[in-house]
Amino acid sequence: MSNRETIGLLEEMILLIVLKNQEINGAEVSREYQEAFRKNISLPAIIAVLKRLEKKGLLTSHVGEPKKERGGRRKRLYEATLQGYEVVAEIQKFRNESWKNIPYFDI
């Protein structure tokens, strides 16, 4: 990868979920993560990763409109930035190039 901020696998997976949804809150990220990877992860852990990605400039967030079903409370909504998209695209490109050097086995 280039001189950009590096991210770990959990950060990458969460960033991909945000990219897929364009705008999503932490609870929805947690639900999608658990469905996709069949692993439990706490909402506070998801929120910590979302905040870390935002601090790195890979996500932005804003507070959404109040929802009647939430008693008038608002949700923080996350969106990927162009830099976030570029980072995961670069990771994918690196992986594809790396796999070209791996011999395949007939299993």
Side-chain angles (χ1 to χ4, degrees):
M1 288 188 20
S2 67
N3 61 357
R4 295 178 194 247
E5 191 88 45
T6 60
I7 62 173
L9 184 58
L10 178 60
E11 291 173 320
E12 179 185 352
M13 296 301 104
I14 290 175
L15 182 52
L16 286 169
I17 290 169
V18 175
L19 278 164
K20 178 182 124 186
N21 289 279
Q22 297 179 355
E23 185 177 78
I24 190 168
N25 68 54
E28 292 168 337
V29 170
S30 178
R31 199 171 18 261
E32 283 205 27
Y33 181 90
Q34 290 179 31
E35 287 174 11
F37 301 106
R38 312 250 190 277
K39 290 184 177 185
N40 289 330
I41 187 166
S42 70
L43 183 56
I46 292 287
I47 298 300
V49 173
L50 290 167
K51 287 181 179 180
R52 196 163 54 241
L53 290 169
E54 187 172 21
K55 187 175 181 181
K56 291 179 178 185
L58 307 179
L59 296 179
T60 61
S61 71
H62 65 277
V63 179
E65 295 299 316
K67 300 285 183 179
K68 189 175 185 177
E69 59 271 6
R70 291 178 43 88
R73 294 189 331 236
R74 300 169 178 241
K75 292 181 182 180
R76 178 158 297 279
L77 301 171
Y78 294 88
E79 297 176 68
T81 63
L82 178 58
Q83 183 182 353
Y85 176 83
E86 289 171 347
V87 164
V88 292
E90 192 174 326
I91 290 169
Q92 185 62 31
K93 181 180 174 187
F94 175 77
R95 283 196 176 123
N96 289 341
E97 291 298 317
S98 295
W99 272 106
K100 289 178 184 176
N101 298 317
I102 305 295
Y104 289 94
F105 296 95
D106 287 330
I107 297 177

